[in-house]
Amino acid sequence: MADFADRCDCTVIHEDVVERVKEVMPEEENLYDLAELFKVFGDTTRIKLLWALDKEEMCVCDLAILLNMTQSAVSHQLRVLKQARLVKFRRDGKNVYYSLDDDHVKLMFEQGLLHINEKEPK
Amino acid sequence: MADFADRCDCTVIHEDVVERVKEVMPEEENLYDLAELFKVFGDTTRIKLLWALDKEEMCVCDLAILLNMTQSAVSHQLRVLKQARLVKFRRDGKNVYYSLDDDHVKLMFEQGLLHINEKEPK
DNA sequence: TGAACATATGAATAACTGTACATATGTTAT
DNA sequence: ATAACATATGTACAGTTATTCATATGTTCA
């Protein structure tokens, strides 16, 4: 039950609306996880990494070259992607090869680009 | 052409890989915009707002009640959603009613939840 | 016109985040 | 074992961000 104490008056009228919406809101935990996931996508470097790894398996130093970044920076960001379960990796000698470990990433990116292009004309 | 100067040796071997991937990478600008969009999704408050507004049009103070937040905080976040062209609004008397202005949001959220639930068992 | 309500906005602050630098760990070959 | 390479990680720091508080703007009604 919502708490309508000492707030806007208009909400008394809209009480039913708030209740209706409240019922369809997902679990707090799921919303938190969802935000955490999108946070991972909210960085150009990580977007690039995911895009690259969706195309082909690559080792860290190659990714560093591709993105023109420090090996350290790439490694740090790969850790974030690892924690989010978005990439997997295998060791082969001195190299560690990363690749995409998610089927939804591409679809989400595509939807994102759709939004961007639709609203394009600033 | 990639710059392979004074970097890892292994990249000399992988030069073709880097070149191949480089060719399929989207425009820098698109990737930036994409990250910006996801950044908007990367916050629990905004996720909640979008979810609520996807269900029903609501005014600011109702949203504040629903999310148990300050009117000011909600207003600030709605501004972010406005700038990202994710919500639209109409004034009716003293109230301003916001609603979702994007067809892709829901699909992206669903994909996100799919990922989360798939990888669930921590 | 002025009072009350609803929303927007500016400023300040605490918390968070991405990168660079230095260094540690892990692997191979000699 | 040791040197060289590849990757990971700890620390520090600059830049960003979400919220709060105070206040301004906009709207209605008496």
Side-chain angles (χ1 to χ4, degrees), chain B residues 43 52 57 76:
Chain B
D43 176 82
E57 171 187 77
H76 275 297

Side-chain angles (χ1 to χ4, degrees), chain A residues 4 28 36 44 64 77 90 102 104 106 114 117 122:
Chain A
F4 295 104
E28 177 76 25
E36 287 304 302
T44 314
Q77 297 300 358
R90 66 180 179 84
D102 186 288
H104 317 296
K106 206 170 198 171
L114 271 180
N117 293 328
K122 179 89 169 70

Side-chain angles (χ1 to χ4, degrees), chain A residues 2-5 7-12 14-15 17-22 24-26 28-39 41-44 47-49 51-53 55-59 61-71 84-86 95 97 101-105 107-122, chain B residues 2-5 7-12 14-15 17-22 24-26 28-39 41-44 47-49 51-53 55-59 61-71 84-86 95 97 101-105 107-122:
Chain A
D3 178 18
F4 295 104
R7 291 277 199 155
C8 302
D9 296 347
C10 77
T11 307
V12 177
H14 300 151
E15 183 168 353
V17 177
V18 176
E19 286 306 320
R20 263 204 308 280
V21 173
K22 190 164 271 190
V24 299
M25 292 295 281
E28 177 76 25
E29 191 194 333
N30 282 329
L31 292 173
Y32 179 81
D33 290 344
L34 197 53
E36 287 304 302
L37 178 62
F38 283 125
K39 222 170 271 182
F41 296 145
D43 177 82
T44 314
I47 291 262
K48 285 178 186 170
L49 286 172
W51 207 290
L53 296 176
K55 173 69 180 173
E56 212 158 325
E57 171 187 77
M58 292 180 82
C59 71
C61 75
D62 288 344
L63 288 166
I65 298 245
L66 177 69
L67 305 193
N68 193 35
M69 288 180 64
T70 307
Q71 171 269 319
R85 323 275 194 92
L86 291 167
N95 296 312
Y97 291 90
D101 185 26
D102 186 288
D103 301 326
H104 317 296
V105 169
L107 194 50
M108 275 189 277
F109 283 9
E110 282 164 3
Q111 290 300 313
L113 287 176
L114 271 180
H115 171 81
I116 290 165
N117 293 328
E118 240 172 48
K119 312 276 173 170
E120 184 68 40
K122 179 89 169 70
Chain B
D3 178 17
F4 296 103
R7 292 274 201 159
C8 303
D9 297 347
C10 77
T11 307
V12 177
H14 301 151
E15 182 167 353
V17 178
V18 176
E19 286 306 320
R20 263 203 309 280
V21 173
K22 189 164 270 189
V24 298
M25 292 295 281
E28 178 75 24
E29 190 193 334
N30 283 329
L31 293 172
Y32 179 81
D33 291 343
L34 197 54
E36 287 302 303
L37 177 63
F38 283 125
K39 222 171 270 182
F41 296 146
D43 176 82
T44 314
I47 292 263
K48 286 178 186 170
L49 287 172
W51 207 291
L53 295 176
K55 173 67 179 174
E56 211 159 325
E57 171 187 77
M58 292 180 81
C59 71
C61 74
D62 289 346
L63 288 166
I65 299 246
L66 177 70
L67 304 193
N68 193 36
M69 288 181 64
T70 307
Q71 172 271 320
R85 322 276 191 95
L86 291 167
N95 296 311
Y97 291 89
D101 185 28
D102 186 286
D103 300 326
H104 317 297
V105 170
L107 194 51
M108 273 189 278
F109 283 9
E110 281 164 4
Q111 290 300 314
L113 287 177
L114 272 180
H115 171 81
I116 290 167
N117 293 327
E118 240 172 47
K119 312 276 173 170
E120 184 68 41
K122 180 91 168 63

